[in-house]
Short mmCIF file of all heavy atoms in Angstrom, two decimals:
data_model
loop_
_atom_site.label_atom_id
_atom_site.label_comp_id
_atom_site.label_asym_id
_atom_site.label_seq_id
_atom_site.Cartn_x
_atom_site.Cartn_y
_atom_site.Cartn_z
N GLU A 34 -0.12 20.55 16.90
CA GLU A 34 -1.03 19.92 17.80
C GLU A 34 -0.35 18.70 18.41
O GLU A 34 0.35 18.00 17.67
CB GLU A 34 -2.28 19.48 17.04
CG GLU A 34 -3.25 20.59 16.70
CD GLU A 34 -4.50 20.09 16.02
OE1 GLU A 34 -4.35 19.20 15.12
OE2 GLU A 34 -5.61 20.49 16.32
N ARG A 35 -0.62 18.45 19.67
CA ARG A 35 0.04 17.37 20.36
C ARG A 35 -0.94 16.23 20.63
O ARG A 35 -2.02 16.44 21.13
CB ARG A 35 0.63 17.95 21.63
CG ARG A 35 0.96 16.96 22.76
CD ARG A 35 1.19 17.77 24.04
NE ARG A 35 2.43 18.48 23.97
CZ ARG A 35 3.59 18.08 24.50
NH1 ARG A 35 3.63 16.96 25.17
NH2 ARG A 35 4.70 18.74 24.37
N PRO A 36 -0.61 15.00 20.24
CA PRO A 36 -1.52 13.85 20.56
C PRO A 36 -1.35 13.48 22.06
O PRO A 36 -0.28 13.28 22.57
CB PRO A 36 -1.00 12.74 19.69
CG PRO A 36 0.42 13.06 19.41
CD PRO A 36 0.58 14.52 19.48
N VAL A 37 -2.54 13.38 22.74
CA VAL A 37 -2.54 13.04 24.15
C VAL A 37 -3.35 11.76 24.30
O VAL A 37 -4.47 11.71 23.78
CB VAL A 37 -3.11 14.20 25.00
CG1 VAL A 37 -3.19 13.77 26.47
CG2 VAL A 37 -2.26 15.45 24.87
N VAL A 38 -2.78 10.78 24.99
CA VAL A 38 -3.44 9.48 25.14
C VAL A 38 -4.17 9.41 26.44
O VAL A 38 -3.65 9.73 27.50
CB VAL A 38 -2.35 8.35 25.03
CG1 VAL A 38 -3.04 6.98 25.01
CG2 VAL A 38 -1.44 8.51 23.84
N ASP A 39 -5.41 8.95 26.34
CA ASP A 39 -6.21 8.64 27.55
C ASP A 39 -6.06 7.09 27.79
O ASP A 39 -6.68 6.33 27.09
CB ASP A 39 -7.66 9.00 27.30
CG ASP A 39 -8.54 8.76 28.55
OD1 ASP A 39 -8.04 8.15 29.48
OD2 ASP A 39 -9.68 9.15 28.49
N LYS A 40 -5.22 6.74 28.75
CA LYS A 40 -4.89 5.30 28.89
C LYS A 40 -6.03 4.46 29.43
O LYS A 40 -6.04 3.28 29.26
CB LYS A 40 -3.68 5.20 29.81
CG LYS A 40 -2.41 5.73 29.15
CD LYS A 40 -1.13 5.18 29.70
CE LYS A 40 -0.01 5.81 28.85
NZ LYS A 40 1.32 5.55 29.31
N GLU A 41 -7.07 5.17 30.01
CA GLU A 41 -8.24 4.44 30.46
C GLU A 41 -9.03 3.89 29.25
O GLU A 41 -9.52 2.76 29.29
CB GLU A 41 -9.16 5.36 31.22
CG GLU A 41 -8.52 5.93 32.53
CD GLU A 41 -8.42 4.86 33.60
OE1 GLU A 41 -9.47 4.27 33.90
OE2 GLU A 41 -7.31 4.60 34.06
N LYS A 42 -9.15 4.72 28.18
CA LYS A 42 -9.90 4.34 27.02
C LYS A 42 -9.22 3.38 26.13
O LYS A 42 -9.79 2.69 25.30
CB LYS A 42 -10.31 5.61 26.25
CG LYS A 42 -11.47 6.36 26.82
CD LYS A 42 -11.88 7.40 25.78
CE LYS A 42 -12.75 8.50 26.36
NZ LYS A 42 -12.87 9.63 25.44
N CYS A 43 -7.85 3.34 26.17
CA CYS A 43 -7.05 2.58 25.22
C CYS A 43 -7.35 1.09 25.29
O CYS A 43 -7.44 0.50 26.39
CB CYS A 43 -5.56 2.84 25.48
SG CYS A 43 -4.50 1.87 24.43
N VAL A 44 -7.59 0.46 24.10
CA VAL A 44 -7.85 -0.97 24.07
C VAL A 44 -6.62 -1.81 23.62
O VAL A 44 -6.73 -3.01 23.42
CB VAL A 44 -9.04 -1.30 23.19
CG1 VAL A 44 -10.32 -0.78 23.80
CG2 VAL A 44 -8.89 -0.75 21.78
N LYS A 45 -5.51 -1.14 23.43
CA LYS A 45 -4.23 -1.77 23.05
C LYS A 45 -4.35 -2.61 21.75
O LYS A 45 -4.02 -3.78 21.71
CB LYS A 45 -3.67 -2.61 24.17
CG LYS A 45 -3.21 -1.74 25.31
CD LYS A 45 -3.22 -2.39 26.66
CE LYS A 45 -2.93 -1.43 27.78
NZ LYS A 45 -4.05 -1.26 28.64
N CYS A 46 -4.85 -1.96 20.73
CA CYS A 46 -5.04 -2.67 19.44
C CYS A 46 -3.84 -2.45 18.53
O CYS A 46 -3.78 -3.06 17.45
CB CYS A 46 -6.29 -2.16 18.74
SG CYS A 46 -6.19 -0.41 18.35
N TRP A 47 -2.86 -1.64 18.92
CA TRP A 47 -1.63 -1.37 18.12
C TRP A 47 -1.83 -0.55 16.86
O TRP A 47 -0.90 -0.30 16.12
CB TRP A 47 -0.91 -2.67 17.73
CG TRP A 47 -0.26 -3.38 18.85
CD1 TRP A 47 0.74 -2.90 19.59
CD2 TRP A 47 -0.52 -4.72 19.31
NE1 TRP A 47 1.10 -3.87 20.51
CE2 TRP A 47 0.34 -4.94 20.34
CE3 TRP A 47 -1.44 -5.70 18.92
CZ2 TRP A 47 0.38 -6.21 21.04
CZ3 TRP A 47 -1.44 -6.88 19.60
CH2 TRP A 47 -0.52 -7.12 20.65
N LEU A 48 -3.11 -0.13 16.54
CA LEU A 48 -3.32 0.52 15.27
C LEU A 48 -2.51 1.82 15.14
O LEU A 48 -1.94 2.15 14.15
CB LEU A 48 -4.82 0.82 15.04
CG LEU A 48 -5.62 -0.38 14.54
CD1 LEU A 48 -7.06 0.07 14.32
CD2 LEU A 48 -5.07 -0.91 13.28
N CYS A 49 -2.47 2.62 16.25
CA CYS A 49 -1.73 3.86 16.21
C CYS A 49 -0.24 3.63 15.97
O CYS A 49 0.38 4.35 15.15
CB CYS A 49 -1.92 4.63 17.53
SG CYS A 49 -1.54 3.74 19.02
N GLU A 50 0.29 2.54 16.51
CA GLU A 50 1.73 2.28 16.26
C GLU A 50 1.98 1.79 14.80
O GLU A 50 2.93 2.19 14.17
CB GLU A 50 2.24 1.21 17.21
CG GLU A 50 3.71 0.97 16.98
CD GLU A 50 4.34 -0.02 17.94
OE1 GLU A 50 3.75 -0.34 18.97
OE2 GLU A 50 5.43 -0.45 17.66
N ILE A 51 1.01 0.97 14.31
CA ILE A 51 1.19 0.46 12.96
C ILE A 51 1.15 1.59 11.93
O ILE A 51 1.94 1.63 10.97
CB ILE A 51 0.12 -0.59 12.68
CG1 ILE A 51 0.39 -1.87 13.44
CG2 ILE A 51 0.04 -0.94 11.16
CD1 ILE A 51 -0.76 -2.91 13.42
N TYR A 52 0.25 2.57 12.17
CA TYR A 52 0.04 3.60 11.14
C TYR A 52 0.97 4.83 11.34
O TYR A 52 1.08 5.65 10.46
CB TYR A 52 -1.38 4.08 11.11
CG TYR A 52 -2.36 3.11 10.43
CD1 TYR A 52 -3.36 2.47 11.16
CD2 TYR A 52 -2.27 2.87 9.09
CE1 TYR A 52 -4.24 1.61 10.57
CE2 TYR A 52 -3.15 2.00 8.46
CZ TYR A 52 -4.11 1.35 9.20
OH TYR A 52 -5.02 0.52 8.57
N CYS A 53 1.59 4.96 12.54
CA CYS A 53 2.37 6.18 12.81
C CYS A 53 3.46 6.35 11.74
O CYS A 53 4.37 5.52 11.60
CB CYS A 53 3.03 6.13 14.19
SG CYS A 53 4.08 7.54 14.48
N PRO A 54 3.46 7.44 10.95
CA PRO A 54 4.43 7.62 9.87
C PRO A 54 5.86 7.86 10.37
O PRO A 54 6.83 7.78 9.66
CB PRO A 54 3.90 8.84 9.10
CG PRO A 54 2.63 9.16 9.63
CD PRO A 54 2.52 8.56 10.97
N VAL A 55 6.01 8.31 11.66
CA VAL A 55 7.34 8.66 12.14
C VAL A 55 7.89 7.58 13.10
O VAL A 55 9.02 7.69 13.53
CB VAL A 55 7.32 10.06 12.87
CG1 VAL A 55 8.68 10.71 12.67
CG2 VAL A 55 6.24 10.95 12.27
N ASP A 56 7.08 6.58 13.37
CA ASP A 56 7.51 5.42 14.23
C ASP A 56 7.91 5.94 15.63
O ASP A 56 8.96 5.57 16.13
CB ASP A 56 8.68 4.68 13.56
CG ASP A 56 8.82 3.29 14.16
OD1 ASP A 56 7.82 2.76 14.69
OD2 ASP A 56 9.91 2.71 14.07
N VAL A 57 7.08 6.83 16.21
CA VAL A 57 7.40 7.30 17.53
C VAL A 57 6.54 6.71 18.64
O VAL A 57 6.78 6.92 19.80
CB VAL A 57 7.30 8.87 17.65
CG1 VAL A 57 8.38 9.52 16.87
CG2 VAL A 57 5.94 9.33 17.19
N ILE A 58 5.49 5.94 18.22
CA ILE A 58 4.55 5.41 19.23
C ILE A 58 4.98 3.95 19.52
O ILE A 58 5.30 3.17 18.62
CB ILE A 58 3.13 5.42 18.72
CG1 ILE A 58 2.74 6.87 18.34
CG2 ILE A 58 2.16 4.93 19.79
CD1 ILE A 58 1.37 7.04 17.80
N ARG A 59 5.02 3.58 20.81
CA ARG A 59 5.28 2.20 21.22
C ARG A 59 4.09 1.79 22.11
O ARG A 59 3.87 2.41 23.10
CB ARG A 59 6.59 2.11 21.98
CG ARG A 59 7.85 2.25 21.14
CD ARG A 59 8.05 1.02 20.32
NE ARG A 59 9.23 1.16 19.48
CZ ARG A 59 9.25 1.75 18.28
NH1 ARG A 59 8.11 2.16 17.77
NH2 ARG A 59 10.35 1.91 17.56
N VAL A 60 3.41 0.72 21.74
CA VAL A 60 2.32 0.22 22.53
C VAL A 60 2.74 -1.13 23.13
O VAL A 60 3.12 -2.05 22.41
CB VAL A 60 1.02 0.00 21.69
CG1 VAL A 60 -0.11 -0.39 22.55
CG2 VAL A 60 0.72 1.28 20.95
N GLU A 61 2.76 -1.17 24.48
CA GLU A 61 3.05 -2.46 25.14
C GLU A 61 1.77 -2.86 25.88
O GLU A 61 1.04 -2.01 26.39
CB GLU A 61 4.19 -2.26 26.15
CG GLU A 61 5.52 -1.95 25.51
CD GLU A 61 6.10 -3.01 24.64
OE1 GLU A 61 5.56 -4.19 24.72
OE2 GLU A 61 6.98 -2.74 23.85
N PRO A 62 1.45 -4.16 25.89
CA PRO A 62 0.24 -4.61 26.53
C PRO A 62 0.15 -4.23 28.01
O PRO A 62 -0.98 -4.02 28.52
CB PRO A 62 0.28 -6.13 26.36
CG PRO A 62 1.19 -6.40 25.23
CD PRO A 62 2.15 -5.28 25.18
N GLU A 63 1.29 -4.06 28.66
CA GLU A 63 1.23 -3.75 30.11
C GLU A 63 1.04 -2.27 30.32
O GLU A 63 0.25 -1.86 31.18
CB GLU A 63 2.53 -4.19 30.77
CG GLU A 63 2.81 -5.72 30.79
CD GLU A 63 3.50 -6.16 29.48
OE1 GLU A 63 4.27 -5.37 28.96
OE2 GLU A 63 3.19 -7.25 28.99
N THR A 64 1.77 -1.46 29.58
CA THR A 64 1.81 -0.03 29.91
C THR A 64 0.98 0.89 29.01
O THR A 64 0.77 2.03 29.30
CB THR A 64 3.26 0.48 29.86
OG1 THR A 64 3.81 0.15 28.57
CG2 THR A 64 4.11 -0.16 30.94
N GLY A 65 0.51 0.38 27.85
CA GLY A 65 -0.25 1.15 26.94
C GLY A 65 0.72 1.99 26.08
O GLY A 65 1.91 1.84 26.11
N PRO A 66 0.16 2.92 25.28
CA PRO A 66 1.03 3.65 24.34
C PRO A 66 1.88 4.77 25.00
O PRO A 66 1.46 5.43 25.92
CB PRO A 66 0.04 4.33 23.37
CG PRO A 66 -1.35 4.05 23.91
CD PRO A 66 -1.24 3.30 25.15
N THR A 67 3.12 4.84 24.50
CA THR A 67 3.97 5.95 24.87
C THR A 67 4.38 6.63 23.59
O THR A 67 4.63 5.98 22.57
CB THR A 67 5.21 5.53 25.64
OG1 THR A 67 5.82 4.44 24.90
CG2 THR A 67 4.89 5.09 27.04
N ILE A 68 4.54 7.99 23.62
CA ILE A 68 4.85 8.76 22.39
C ILE A 68 6.14 9.53 22.67
O ILE A 68 6.31 10.14 23.72
CB ILE A 68 3.69 9.70 22.01
CG1 ILE A 68 2.40 8.94 21.77
CG2 ILE A 68 4.09 10.53 20.79
CD1 ILE A 68 1.20 9.78 21.53
N ASP A 69 7.04 9.46 21.70
CA ASP A 69 8.31 10.22 21.79
C ASP A 69 8.07 11.64 21.19
O ASP A 69 8.01 11.82 19.98
CB ASP A 69 9.37 9.46 20.96
CG ASP A 69 10.72 10.18 20.99
OD1 ASP A 69 10.80 11.23 21.60
OD2 ASP A 69 11.67 9.63 20.41
N TYR A 70 7.87 12.61 22.09
CA TYR A 70 7.47 13.95 21.61
C TYR A 70 8.61 14.72 21.00
O TYR A 70 8.44 15.77 20.39
CB TYR A 70 6.87 14.73 22.73
CG TYR A 70 5.46 14.27 23.12
CD1 TYR A 70 5.21 13.61 24.34
CD2 TYR A 70 4.40 14.45 22.24
CE1 TYR A 70 3.95 13.18 24.67
CE2 TYR A 70 3.13 13.99 22.58
CZ TYR A 70 2.91 13.39 23.77
OH TYR A 70 1.70 12.93 24.10
N ASP A 71 9.85 14.18 21.08
CA ASP A 71 10.98 14.86 20.44
C ASP A 71 10.81 14.85 18.93
O ASP A 71 11.24 15.78 18.23
CB ASP A 71 12.30 14.18 20.80
CG ASP A 71 12.76 14.57 22.20
OD1 ASP A 71 12.11 15.41 22.80
OD2 ASP A 71 13.75 13.98 22.66
N TYR A 72 10.25 13.72 18.40
CA TYR A 72 10.19 13.56 16.97
C TYR A 72 8.79 13.53 16.42
O TYR A 72 8.62 13.57 15.18
CB TYR A 72 10.93 12.28 16.56
CG TYR A 72 12.42 12.37 16.83
CD1 TYR A 72 13.02 11.72 17.89
CD2 TYR A 72 13.23 13.13 16.00
CE1 TYR A 72 14.37 11.80 18.13
CE2 TYR A 72 14.58 13.25 16.23
CZ TYR A 72 15.15 12.61 17.27
OH TYR A 72 16.48 12.72 17.50
N CYS A 73 7.75 13.51 17.23
CA CYS A 73 6.36 13.43 16.74
C CYS A 73 6.05 14.70 15.98
O CYS A 73 6.26 15.81 16.45
CB CYS A 73 5.39 13.30 17.92
SG CYS A 73 3.70 13.54 17.42
N LYS A 74 5.59 14.53 14.68
CA LYS A 74 5.35 15.70 13.84
C LYS A 74 3.91 16.26 14.07
O LYS A 74 3.55 17.25 13.43
CB LYS A 74 5.50 15.31 12.39
CG LYS A 74 6.96 15.05 12.01
CD LYS A 74 7.08 14.56 10.59
CE LYS A 74 8.47 14.18 10.27
NZ LYS A 74 8.60 13.41 9.03
N GLY A 75 3.11 15.57 14.80
CA GLY A 75 1.75 16.05 15.08
C GLY A 75 0.82 15.97 13.90
O GLY A 75 -0.02 16.84 13.73
N CYS A 76 0.95 14.94 13.07
CA CYS A 76 0.08 14.83 11.90
C CYS A 76 -1.37 14.45 12.26
O CYS A 76 -2.28 14.80 11.56
CB CYS A 76 0.64 13.87 10.88
SG CYS A 76 0.82 12.16 11.48
N GLY A 77 -1.53 13.69 13.36
CA GLY A 77 -2.88 13.36 13.82
C GLY A 77 -3.41 12.08 13.21
O GLY A 77 -4.59 11.77 13.41
N VAL A 78 -2.57 11.29 12.50
CA VAL A 78 -3.05 10.02 11.94
C VAL A 78 -3.45 9.08 13.04
O VAL A 78 -4.50 8.40 12.97
CB VAL A 78 -1.97 9.38 11.06
CG1 VAL A 78 -2.21 7.95 10.75
CG2 VAL A 78 -1.77 10.15 9.77
N CYS A 79 -2.72 9.09 14.18
CA CYS A 79 -3.02 8.21 15.29
C CYS A 79 -4.41 8.48 15.88
O CYS A 79 -5.18 7.56 16.14
CB CYS A 79 -1.97 8.28 16.39
SG CYS A 79 -1.53 9.99 16.84
N SER A 80 -4.78 9.74 16.03
CA SER A 80 -6.07 10.08 16.58
C SER A 80 -7.18 9.73 15.63
O SER A 80 -8.28 9.39 16.06
CB SER A 80 -6.16 11.58 16.91
OG SER A 80 -6.31 12.35 15.76
N ASN A 81 -6.87 9.76 14.34
CA ASN A 81 -7.90 9.44 13.33
C ASN A 81 -8.14 7.94 13.23
O ASN A 81 -9.27 7.50 12.97
CB ASN A 81 -7.45 9.97 11.97
CG ASN A 81 -8.55 9.93 10.96
OD1 ASN A 81 -8.52 9.12 10.05
ND2 ASN A 81 -9.51 10.81 11.08
N VAL A 82 -7.09 7.09 13.42
CA VAL A 82 -7.30 5.65 13.27
C VAL A 82 -7.73 4.96 14.57
O VAL A 82 -8.15 3.82 14.56
CB VAL A 82 -6.04 4.90 12.71
CG1 VAL A 82 -5.66 5.40 11.34
CG2 VAL A 82 -4.88 5.05 13.66
N CYS A 83 -7.62 5.68 15.67
CA CYS A 83 -7.94 5.06 16.98
C CYS A 83 -9.43 4.64 17.05
O CYS A 83 -10.30 5.49 16.88
CB CYS A 83 -7.64 6.02 18.09
SG CYS A 83 -7.87 5.28 19.74
N PRO A 84 -9.71 3.41 17.25
CA PRO A 84 -11.11 2.92 17.22
C PRO A 84 -11.87 3.33 18.50
O PRO A 84 -13.09 3.38 18.45
CB PRO A 84 -11.04 1.41 17.11
CG PRO A 84 -9.67 1.09 17.67
CD PRO A 84 -8.78 2.23 17.42
N SER A 85 -11.18 3.63 19.58
CA SER A 85 -11.89 3.92 20.82
C SER A 85 -11.84 5.39 21.18
O SER A 85 -12.31 5.79 22.24
CB SER A 85 -11.30 3.10 21.98
OG SER A 85 -9.94 3.36 22.14
N GLY A 86 -11.25 6.22 20.33
CA GLY A 86 -11.17 7.66 20.60
C GLY A 86 -10.31 8.00 21.81
O GLY A 86 -10.57 8.95 22.51
N ALA A 87 -9.25 7.23 22.03
CA ALA A 87 -8.40 7.47 23.19
C ALA A 87 -7.38 8.53 22.96
O ALA A 87 -6.81 9.08 23.88
CB ALA A 87 -7.72 6.17 23.63
N ILE A 88 -7.13 8.91 21.71
CA ILE A 88 -6.10 9.89 21.40
C ILE A 88 -6.76 11.18 20.92
O ILE A 88 -7.58 11.17 20.00
CB ILE A 88 -5.09 9.41 20.30
CG1 ILE A 88 -4.47 8.10 20.77
CG2 ILE A 88 -4.01 10.45 20.08
CD1 ILE A 88 -3.55 7.46 19.73
N THR A 89 -6.49 12.28 21.61
CA THR A 89 -7.05 13.58 21.21
C THR A 89 -5.89 14.53 20.88
O THR A 89 -4.82 14.39 21.44
CB THR A 89 -7.87 14.21 22.34
OG1 THR A 89 -7.16 14.05 23.57
CG2 THR A 89 -9.26 13.61 22.46
N MET A 90 -6.15 15.43 19.93
CA MET A 90 -5.13 16.36 19.50
C MET A 90 -5.35 17.69 20.30
O MET A 90 -6.38 18.30 20.22
CB MET A 90 -5.18 16.67 18.01
CG MET A 90 -4.99 15.43 17.16
SD MET A 90 -3.47 14.52 17.46
CE MET A 90 -2.28 15.58 16.69
N VAL A 91 -4.33 18.11 21.05
CA VAL A 91 -4.42 19.29 21.91
C VAL A 91 -3.50 20.33 21.27
O VAL A 91 -2.34 20.04 20.99
CB VAL A 91 -3.98 18.96 23.33
CG1 VAL A 91 -4.08 20.20 24.20
CG2 VAL A 91 -4.82 17.86 23.89
N PRO A 92 -3.91 21.59 21.05
CA PRO A 92 -3.06 22.59 20.48
C PRO A 92 -1.83 22.88 21.38
O PRO A 92 -1.97 22.93 22.57
CB PRO A 92 -3.92 23.85 20.36
CG PRO A 92 -5.30 23.35 20.41
CD PRO A 92 -5.30 22.07 21.22
N GLU A 93 -0.65 23.05 20.75
CA GLU A 93 0.54 23.36 21.49
C GLU A 93 0.54 24.83 21.88
O GLU A 93 -0.03 25.69 21.22
CB GLU A 93 1.78 23.13 20.54
CG GLU A 93 2.07 21.70 20.28
CD GLU A 93 2.95 21.02 21.31
OE1 GLU A 93 3.37 21.69 22.24
OE2 GLU A 93 3.13 19.79 21.17
#
Side-chain angles (χ1 to χ4, degrees):
Chain A
E34 283 181 319
R35 160 192 288 261
V37 176
V38 186
D39 182 353
K40 293 202 177 173
E41 297 288 304
K42 281 191 196 166
C43 175
V44 292
K45 290 156 188 114
C46 62
W47 288 297
L48 280 183
C49 52
E50 182 177 346
I51 290 171
Y52 284 114
C53 176
V55 211
D56 200 24
V57 290
I58 304 179
R59 289 285 177 275
V60 185
E61 294 297 344
E63 297 84 34
T64 55
T67 48
I68 301 174
D69 180 358
Y70 288 110
D71 282 354
Y72 293 104
C73 170
K74 291 173 184 169
C76 61
V78 166
C79 48
S80 75
N81 192 255
V82 297
C83 183
S85 59
I88 304 177
T89 43
M90 301 304 286
V91 181
E93 289 274 356

